[in-house]
Structures are given as C-alpha cells and as structure tokens.
Amino acid sequence: MKKVKKIITAVLSVTLAATMVGCTPTIGAGTSTAMTIDKYDVPAGLFIYYTMQGYSEASGILEDQRGSAPELKDVKNATIDSVDSTDWIQNKATDYCLDYVTIIKEFDDMGGELSQEDIDSAESMASYYYAQDKSRLDDNGVSLDTMEKMAQMTYKERAVFKHYYGYDGSEGCTEEELKDYFDDNFARIKYVSISLTDSEGNALTEDEQRERRKMAEKYAEQVNKKTDVLDKMHELDKVQEDYDEYIAQQTTTAEGETTVTTTTTTTTTAETETTTTTDPYANERLFQKVTTTTADDSQSESDSDTTTTSAEEADTDKDSRLFSDFVFNKLEMNKAEVYDYNDETIYVVLRADLRERMTEDDYWSEDYQESILEMRYYDTFVDMLDEKSKQLTVSKNSKAYRRYEPFKLVLEDETTEQQY
C-alpha cells in the first residue's frame, strides 16, 4: 500500500503529534533499537507507538468491512490485503518509521534549525497528547521526552516543505503565481436557495414551481439594479429575508392557521447602510472548483475543466460538478443569475472578484498563503518523500520485532477489559 505522508497543515501536524513515543528502562537490552535506516537508529519506543497506530488502522479497516467494531481477537486472527494482521501492522509501523527518518534526514541535510518558539510549541503539543492517553502510553513504554522530539519533527516537516515549495523554494512558485492558482480554483460567491418542494419535501405543482421561478428571476433583477458589487451582495441579504418571510407565510397558510405572521422589517436609511459594525462580506462563501468527478457522456472535453474518474456518478456529485462548471465557466462576474441546481432547488447566485479580498488581513494572510501552498503542492510533496524514502536502506532488528509484536502490547483501553 502506498504510504501516506503527513502534510504540514496545522490540523495534520496535530494529528502527527499524536504519533509520538519514547523508550523507557523496561525495554530490554538488544532491543532498544528497532531498526536502522541509513545512519539513523530508530528507537524501539517509536516503533512501538507506530505499531499501536497500525493496530488502530487495521481495526478501522475491519470495522468498515464488517459494519461494526471488531474485538481484539478478531483483529489478531484477521488477514488484511492478503497479509496476516501481525505482519500487516508491523509493515505499517515500519513504513511510518521510514517516513519519520525521511523527514529528519531531509531537515538535517538542509542544515535546518528549529526556533525556540517551535521548540516550545512542540513541548506544549506533546504534553497535551501525552495526557490524553497517559495510562496506555506508559504501559507500552511511552516517554514524554521522546514525544517532544516527535512533536519537533512536525515543525521540521514544515521546514522541509517550505525549503522545496515556499516562495524561495527550488520547486515552488512566486506569490503572483499562487494568487493565480487560488483565483483559478476558488470562487467568491453568494447565493439564495429557493426550494421547489414544500415543507415536507414533496414536489410543488407546476404552477407553484413557475411562481418560484418568477420569484427567483425577480430577485436576480432586483440585485442587478445595484451597481456596486458590495451593494449587490447586501441586496442578496434582503432577498434572503424576503424569501424567508414568504416561506413562513406559505407554511402558515398550508397548516391552516389563522395567526398573523409577524414580519420584522429592516431599516435601510443611509445611516444604517454605512454602519461600520456590519460585516461587508456577511454570508459570502468560498466555493472550490470540482476537479475530480465522474464520467458524463454528455460532457465534451471542452465543456469544463473537471476531470472524470469513473463510469457511475451519484446525483449529488453530478449536481456539484455541474454547478462548479456554471460558476467557473459560465457565470458572469458581478451579475446575479438564476441557476437550476436540481429538481428540488434553484439558486440566485452572484460571483464577485476574489482578488479584491486577497489582503493580508483577509484571504491573503500568512496562514492562508501557507494553506494554499500546501493544497497546490501536496501530491507533489508526497511523491517526493516517497521517492526519497525508497532510496534509504532499512535494517530491521529481528529481536525487537519479535519482542514488540502487536498483540504483546496494550492495544485497548483498560475499560474494554480485553485480554491478550
């Protein structure tokens, strides 16, 4: 199976921080090193934790196959990908150790050095995750000291990524090229969703649907009477309020109630329109282009930028793909249009210039730029690490592999009362 490297986004860095272990005096002589990868000795504690992680993944695979969580004995007796579970788990642990060393070696080779801020953050990260599972980690020989070293590895990974794919990186791009990528793959939109079904999900009559469509077209015309794009965006908020009021009245009528629907009006004087506390971008959304979809015989190669991957397509996937095609290839900038999303919904949708929000305190903050870089180069980064890891030589310590076989470890929480 292809190894999946941990990319350096904040969320996945935290995930990787959970995969941290260390050695304790309980580890016997001759087995303190689980393997040697090139010149790097991998401590048994690291291998033990990755074995625990491999067990969790094996359990998850069996749960997906069976529809319920397996007991420990089920995992022990299972075969995964035509491999005995013990071997599968240890193979997975070996791969994770190889991933770890690949990052450390790259960081050392480029002469990297962590800042004190990164070291302090790694320490806090390690302490947090150690406390979450302290009992089981202690039982398996997990030390906080080694966890801190593992947490530091996440920051080293980030440094390696920037070394290759940052603005000054040998494989990266310029800031302007990254802005182009962002603009090409995301759209700044706002829309009002108009239902073609009643409150119970039943299709409206043809006359009722025609009424809703006329309403949508009227709304689009109302928005387009404005000249400034922000005014158009604000007008969509008023459209939403009007539509919500209409639906409330329809629901009251359908239920046969005689109560009067109370409508809350919004003052639109010049003073309220210029209130500085109002979010100028309220209810706007970033919509990501659909780039991996399923085959559609009716779509020509020139119809869209989307990519087909299989012969069958769920209705929801098709709806999303077609909407993406409309937004990125057909919807005129700064003009509200009516779009038939599916048989149940139509949109009044407006697209605005994304670059107007590419500022350092909005969509072009440092965090945003890092996230977009990672998004753009994730697959390339994974492939690069895979190729580099293949060039490393692994020498396993057979004694350690026997001593720390998966089912000799504490793999379940004590509350499960599993015995092995």
Side-chain angles (χ1 to χ4, degrees):
M1 296 178 63
K2 183 180 181 65
K3 300 188 297 296
V4 179
K5 304 295 191 300
K6 276 75 170 178
I7 192 62
I8 59 177
T9 58
V11 173
L12 291 183
S13 290
V14 169
T15 300
L16 188 55
T19 61
M20 302 179 293
V21 302
C23 302
T24 70
T26 60
I27 296 177
T31 57
S32 60
T33 297
M35 70 193 78
T36 299
I37 300 177
D38 276 20
K39 298 179 296 182
Y40 292 81
D41 290 335
V42 177
L46 179 63
F47 177 68
I48 290 170
Y49 190 89
Y50 283 144
T51 298
M52 295 164 61
Q53 180 169 310
Y55 168 79
S56 296
E57 293 183 31
S59 180
I61 291 173
L62 294 180
E63 182 174 357
D64 290 341
Q65 293 175 349
R66 303 181 182 193
S68 61
E71 295 183 4
L72 187 143
K73 63 181 180 180
D74 298 324
V75 182
K76 183 176 182 179
N77 297 324
T79 298
I80 303 174
D81 297 333
S82 302
V83 178
D84 173 85
S85 62
T86 293
D87 291 337
W88 189 92
I89 292 169
Q90 287 198 320
N91 289 343
K92 181 66 67 173
T94 303
D95 287 344
Y96 281 132
C97 290
L98 189 57
D99 295 346
Y100 172 86
V101 171
T102 301
I103 292 295
I104 299 302
K105 188 175 186 302
E106 283 296 309
F107 185 79
D108 290 346
D109 288 347
M110 70 185 215
E113 184 175 349
L114 295 181
S115 67
Q116 188 59 50
E117 181 181 359
D118 288 343
I119 293 173
D120 292 342
S121 296
E123 181 178 347
S124 297
M125 188 186 300
S127 297
Y128 175 82
Y129 281 99
Y130 178 76
Q132 302 306 302
D133 198 17
K134 184 177 185 301
S135 177
R136 191 164 65 104
L137 296 177
D138 285 345
D139 287 342
N140 284 309
V142 178
S143 73
L144 179 58
D145 179 68
T146 302
M147 289 179 68
E148 291 172 359
K149 290 183 175 61
M150 284 292 297
Q152 290 178 17
M153 189 270 287
T154 67
Y155 291 92
K156 294 179 179 181
E157 184 180 22
R158 177 179 300 169
V160 171
F161 181 88
K162 289 183 177 180
H163 176 74
Y164 286 102
Y165 301 107
Y167 290 142
D168 297 327
S170 59
E171 307 297 329
C173 63
T174 66
E175 184 174 356
E176 191 60 33
E177 288 172 334
L178 189 64
K179 286 184 176 181
D180 290 340
Y181 173 84
F182 188 32
D183 202 16
D184 288 343
N185 289 277
F186 286 86
R188 172 190 167 197
I189 67 171
K190 193 170 186 176
Y191 62 86
V192 174
S193 175
I194 297 178
S195 178
L196 299 179
T197 63
D198 61 20
S199 59
E200 297 180 351
N202 302 310
L204 300 176
T205 66
E206 291 184 4
D207 288 342
E208 290 171 327
Q209 290 190 25
R210 277 194 291 270
E211 179 184 356
R212 297 283 175 95
R213 174 165 290 284
K214 289 180 180 179
M215 179 186 299
E217 293 171 349
K218 176 184 175 182
Y219 284 152
E221 182 179 350
Q222 176 181 330
V223 171
N224 289 327
K225 286 181 180 179
K226 301 293 182 179
T227 54
D228 183 78
V229 65
L230 281 182
D231 288 340
K232 291 183 178 182
M233 290 290 195
H234 291 320
E235 196 66 26
L236 273 172
D237 288 329
K238 297 178 183 178
V239 165
Q240 184 70 66
E241 292 174 3
D242 185 84
Y243 176 69
D244 290 343
E245 177 185 336
Y246 168 82
I247 291 298
Q249 292 173 339
Q250 291 292 308
T251 301
T252 299
T253 301
E255 293 175 349
E257 298 178 357
T258 58
T259 55
V260 178
T261 302
T262 301
T263 303
T264 302
T265 59
T266 303
T267 303
T268 58
T269 61
E271 289 80 8
T272 58
E273 288 179 346
T274 57
T275 301
T276 57
T277 57
T278 301
D279 181 0
Y281 307 122
N283 302 318
E284 287 188 15
R285 305 187 183 197
L286 269 181
F287 179 74
Q288 186 174 3
K289 179 185 291 186
V290 178
T291 55
T292 303
T293 66
T294 52
D296 181 0
D297 293 338
S298 65
Q299 179 187 22
S300 67
E301 292 182 1
S302 61
D303 283 341
S304 172
D305 294 331
T306 56
T307 304
T308 58
T309 58
S310 68
E312 297 182 357
E313 179 175 18
D315 289 342
T316 54
D317 294 335
K318 181 178 180 181
D319 293 341
S320 180
R321 170 174 61 81
L322 293 177
F323 182 59
S324 175
D325 180 44
F326 169 75
V327 168
F328 285 93
N329 299 312
K330 301 172 185 177
L331 179 60
E332 185 178 336
M333 193 74 73
N334 299 335
K335 179 181 178 182
E337 295 189 28
V338 177
Y339 176 78
D340 293 81
Y341 188 74
N342 54 30
D343 293 338
E344 299 178 351
T345 308
I346 54 178
Y347 289 155
V348 178
V349 59
L350 177 70
R351 181 182 182 186
D353 186 359
L354 178 58
R355 286 180 179 268
E356 292 179 358
R357 294 191 59 180
M358 290 187 195
T359 62
E360 63 181 10
D361 58 350
D362 197 359
Y363 283 156
W364 209 245
S365 65
E366 183 177 345
D367 287 343
Y368 251 100
Q369 293 179 57
E370 288 186 2
S371 295
I372 298 166
L373 277 170
E374 291 159 8
M375 182 179 299
R376 176 172 184 175
Y377 291 111
Y378 174 80
D379 291 337
T380 305
F381 182 58
V382 169
D383 291 341
M384 182 201 71
L385 293 181
D386 277 336
E387 288 303 314
K388 289 183 177 294
S389 67
K390 291 176 183 177
Q391 299 172 16
L392 303 181
T393 302
V394 179
S395 178
K396 299 178 182 178
N397 181 349
S398 58
K399 290 183 179 180
Y401 272 70
R402 288 194 299 270
R403 184 181 180 89
Y404 307 116
E405 286 183 355
F407 302 99
K408 294 179 180 178
L409 304 176
V410 180
L411 298 174
E412 300 284 355
D413 188 271
E414 291 181 356
T415 58
T416 62
E417 297 184 355
Q418 296 273 14
Q419 300 295 326
Y420 18 89

